[in-house]
Amino acid sequence: MSAGSFAFFMNVPTLFFLGLVLAYPVIYAAYLSVHQVGLAQLRRGVFTFNGWDNYSRVLEDPLFWIAIKNTSIFTAITVGSEVVLAVLIALLLNQTGIWTSRITRFLILLPYAIPPIANGLIWSFLYSFQFGFLNRILFSLGLIDDPINWAGNPDTALYAVTVPYIWRTLPFAIILVHAALQGIPRELYEAAAVDGARAWHRFWHITLPLLRPIIAIILVLRTAFAFAVFEEILAITQGGPGDATWVAAWYSYKITFSPPNNFGMGSASAFILTLMIGIIALVYMRMVYRRVTL
Amino acid sequence: MFATSRTAKLMLHIANLMVIAFILLPLVAVLIGSIQSEKALQADTRRVLPLEFTLDNFTVILTKGEQKGRIFEQVTYLPDNIKNFYTAFLNSAIVAGSVTFLTLLFGSLSAYTIARQRFRWTLFLLQANIVARFVPVIVLMIPLYVVMRSVGQLNSLSGVIIAETGFLLPYAILILAPYFDTIPAELEEAARIDGCSRFSAFVHIVLPLATPALAACGVIMFIISWHELLIPLILNARPNVMTLPVVIASLVGDVHVFFNLMMAICLLALAPTVILVALLQKYIVEGLSAGAVKG
């Protein structure tokens, strides 16, 4: 068998699955997004073409723009804090002389093991106004006199839902930074120490520049995934209070699955989200896989 | 000099304690929440530790609602999904196990050709996989539903397995390809000279060497599949084919289920992957960084 046909046969299952579960559905979503599709049409399987109607209705919906704004704020906060925290905690894990760092290193991956939806429910217990675990701790420590309505207050709800998401996805970023730290030659630090560079200077002039590529990767990856946040929103706030935590994926979900079930508009809004994430994905590809050229 | 290093050390210890407290906060919450009664949670809303502990929440879930125990004595209604715990747990295990197997099987076939056979189209396939990894499930919801309905795979575990396998294959390939790249090609070439076919060189020489990568990829696939909510939520509506995340999601906003029972079922659902992470941490760390930064 020639190398070419061997390579092709090896990829038949992958091509089949990519086609069935990713390519065809994405194209189909694009198709639905330019048709009028409600429950009745979906049952009959007959869709009327309505051009850009769904898109213009989505773009004219104030709730969609609130969702985009909330998603942007959510993404900026989670990704920004994750990058800063990941660098700080990875440096902390790197302190071989500190015995508590070994405990942290052992525990650091735990949040990765928690199902997102369970994470959401656990934090809804933590945040509960009346019965919440967080308020209980703060009462016991004497830090508050009255309970705080963390996720039920429209002014704080969006910030409240960022914390569970950061908690769950931070280990990934820490692991990438920690792995990159292991790749920095010790000699660089030793030479700098000989030159009398202080710890802060060593960090600023050696560590940080060498971490820049991995930080860029984390920024792009986490931005793409934070844009599609769903489970924590579903479990903690369901978009509420009011529209305070409506995010893009929640918008598509609600438009599609709550009456009057506008599948066309749902597809259109999901497609807009996909295009935004797609742009991020292309940036990522250029960054990481630069040596791969067509 | 000595003094500053001692304060520095103290600061580092404090920083570690803060990080540890942050990591453990939700885990302590789920644990303490699950071992008390609704009454205890409501009686004193300012206590961290309840006056008495009970395992009744777990008993009622694990006996399918038959043994109600003391704290559910008065309860006349329990959601069916709570009683369906075993089915959901088994479904989750079947789905995650099958998805892990299939993504490893097909992923390694593809990753190997991408690493070894440098054709224009295999490079294109790699790029397609990189982009495919980013496709949000939310855009696939309705099309997947329609596709699975037309092939009669709604309300079945196989439908969920097919959908998740396709959804996770790109990531599996991205984790595996860089590892296959590091295995020296000379080994296969020698085997080929000895009359080995391409495929049997792959199966008998490359795959055994790739065991660490397969372990890393496999455990990550299992975890992601165990966690997946949207795909089974959309494809499966019948209780007999629900997975654990779907059961947990169904409790959101259910007035009959209070935090104690919710926390108990969350704890049971997160235990398997927590054990996996604790045991196979090394592999997960390698897989996560391979899948993100190498190509």
Side-chain angles (χ1 to χ4, degrees):
Chain A
M1 198 191 289
S2 78
S5 49
F6 172 71
F8 174 74
F9 280 117
M10 293 281 272
N11 279 296
V12 167
T14 299
L15 293 171
F16 170 75
F17 275 98
L18 291 188
L20 181 76
V21 178
L22 288 164
Y24 177 70
V26 168
I27 295 165
Y28 196 74
Y31 170 83
L32 287 176
S33 73
V34 290
H35 287 76
Q36 194 202 330
V37 190
L39 264 186
Q41 284 90 339
L42 199 68
R43 278 207 197 96
R44 267 184 292 138
V46 186
F47 315 133
T48 345
F49 179 74
N50 65 356
W52 299 110
D53 240 35
N54 292 321
Y55 286 96
S56 57
R57 281 180 65 190
V58 166
L59 294 175
E60 279 162 19
D61 186 356
L63 198 50
F64 175 74
W65 291 106
I66 291 172
I68 291 291
K69 193 190 89 186
N70 288 340
T71 310
S72 309
I73 297 173
F74 179 89
T75 306
I77 294 175
T78 52
V79 177
S81 357
E82 278 188 33
V83 166
V84 175
L85 287 173
V87 172
L88 292 177
I89 295 175
L91 287 171
L92 190 61
L93 295 184
N94 228 14
Q95 305 296 321
T96 40
I98 305 290
W99 65 271
T100 43
S101 290
R102 246 173 289 155
I103 304 175
T104 312
R105 216 176 311 150
F106 179 70
L107 295 172
I108 204 70
L109 207 54
L110 268 183
Y112 186 74
I114 313 301
I117 185 71
N119 185 37
L121 269 190
I122 295 168
W123 283 87
S124 78
F125 172 50
L126 273 160
Y127 282 152
S128 164
F129 180 41
Q130 260 189 297
F131 310 107
F133 198 71
L134 195 54
N135 283 338
R136 287 170 196 268
I137 293 175
L138 296 178
F139 279 131
S140 305
L141 295 174
L143 291 173
I144 54 171
D145 294 320
D146 297 303
I148 298 172
N149 198 359
W150 301 95
N153 178 344
D155 296 326
T156 55
L158 188 57
Y159 306 108
V161 290
T162 61
V163 181
Y165 190 82
I166 294 170
W167 183 83
R168 176 168 64 83
T169 54
L170 188 56
F172 177 75
I174 294 173
I175 279 163
L176 292 192
V177 178
H178 189 250
L181 282 178
Q182 312 313 310
I184 301 179
R186 284 188 85 89
E187 294 79 37
L188 284 177
Y189 292 110
E190 282 156 12
V194 171
D195 291 345
R198 285 161 176 273
W200 171 250
H201 283 118
R202 290 200 295 270
F203 172 72
W204 196 251
H205 295 291
I206 300 174
T207 316
L208 205 52
L210 288 171
L211 287 181
R212 205 169 287 157
I214 196 70
I215 290 174
I217 286 171
I218 294 169
L219 271 177
V220 173
L221 270 177
R222 289 266 40 105
T223 304
F225 289 118
F227 247 82
V229 58
F230 180 78
E231 278 95 340
E232 275 86 359
I233 301 290
L234 168 72
I236 303 172
T237 60
Q238 296 98 55
D243 49 27
T245 56
W246 273 69
V247 289
W250 183 253
Y251 179 89
S252 302
Y253 181 78
K254 288 303 269 189
I255 292 282
T256 309
F257 290 111
S258 51
N261 298 78
N262 195 329
F263 293 94
M265 260 177 88
S267 294
S269 61
F271 213 73
I272 295 173
L273 178 68
T274 307
L275 287 181
M276 287 157 70
I277 294 174
I279 294 168
I280 303 171
L282 290 177
V283 173
Y284 172 76
M285 192 170 73
R286 289 193 66 97
M287 237 162 52
V288 188
Y289 297 84
R290 208 171 277 150
R291 70 194 176 88
V292 178
T293 44
L294 265 179
Chain B
M1 187 66 194
F2 185 63
T4 53
S5 89
R6 254 176 57 175
T7 37
K9 267 189 177 171
L10 187 66
M11 299 275 281
L12 289 171
H13 283 308
I14 292 171
N16 269 314
L17 290 181
M18 282 163 63
V19 175
I20 292 168
F22 182 58
I23 296 172
L24 291 183
L25 172 67
L27 300 170
V28 170
V30 69
L31 193 66
I32 294 182
S34 68
I35 51 171
Q36 56 183 306
S37 65
E38 183 172 342
K39 258 199 199 118
L41 272 170
Q42 290 169 345
D44 188 343
T45 59
R46 303 197 165 200
R47 278 187 76 91
V48 172
L49 292 171
L51 286 171
E52 49 177 353
F53 298 106
T54 170
L55 291 175
D56 285 358
N57 296 308
F58 298 103
T59 316
V60 79
I61 295 169
L62 294 176
T63 61
K64 305 176 183 176
E66 276 162 22
Q67 279 182 44
K68 290 190 166 171
R70 212 163 33 79
I71 67 174
F72 294 98
E73 244 168 16
Q74 317 287 324
V75 178
T76 49
Y77 173 81
L78 267 177
D80 285 339
N81 282 343
I82 291 270
K83 298 177 196 162
N84 258 330
F85 176 80
Y86 282 108
T87 316
F89 194 94
L90 189 67
N91 289 342
S92 275
I94 293 171
V95 169
S98 314
V99 169
T100 306
F101 175 74
L102 292 175
T103 48
L104 280 184
L105 180 67
F106 301 144
S108 56
L109 294 179
S110 281
Y112 174 69
T113 46
I114 285 172
R116 276 293 189 276
Q117 322 275 327
R118 296 270 169 173
F119 296 110
R120 188 167 282 210
W121 68 269
T122 53
L123 289 179
F124 178 72
L125 185 67
L126 175 60
Q127 293 183 317
N129 279 312
I130 297 165
V131 175
R133 196 194 152 189
F134 286 86
V135 173
V137 193
I138 200 90
V139 77
L140 300 175
M141 288 186 315
I142 310 159
L144 268 183
Y145 178 85
V146 176
V147 169
M148 290 302 168
R149 196 179 58 167
S150 64
V151 293
Q153 293 292 333
L154 282 187
N155 283 312
S156 76
L157 291 181
S158 50
V160 175
I161 291 168
I162 293 168
E164 289 189 12
T165 301
F167 188 69
L168 287 178
L169 251 181
Y171 192 28
I173 293 170
L174 296 185
I175 294 173
L176 292 173
Y179 194 87
F180 284 127
D181 216 18
T182 62
I183 298 174
E186 287 78 26
L187 292 170
E188 297 141 70
E189 279 156 18
R192 293 267 293 142
I193 291 165
D194 290 344
C196 222
S197 75
R198 283 178 206 277
F199 186 71
S200 85
F202 167 69
V203 172
H204 293 116
I205 308 219
V206 181
L207 272 190
L209 288 172
T211 321
L214 293 175
C217 181
V219 63
I220 291 171
M221 290 299 122
F222 188 92
I223 290 171
I224 301 179
S225 174
W226 186 267
H227 291 176
E228 178 57 41
L229 168 67
L230 267 170
I231 291 175
L233 181 70
I234 291 148
L235 297 182
N236 288 351
R238 299 219 182 102
N240 62 323
V241 283
M242 279 183 181
T243 59
L244 274 178
V246 179
V247 165
I248 292 176
S250 76
L251 303 179
V252 174
D254 190 325
V255 290
H256 299 288
V257 181
F258 200 62
F259 288 119
N260 53 324
L261 203 51
M262 267 189 216
M263 292 305 109
I265 200 163
C266 282
L267 194 62
L268 292 169
L270 61 82
T273 38
V274 165
I275 293 168
L276 270 186
V277 165
L279 294 178
L280 301 172
Q281 192 160 26
K282 193 186 102 199
Y283 292 104
I284 299 171
V285 168
E286 278 168 16
L288 287 179
S289 33
V293 294
K294 294 172 196 159

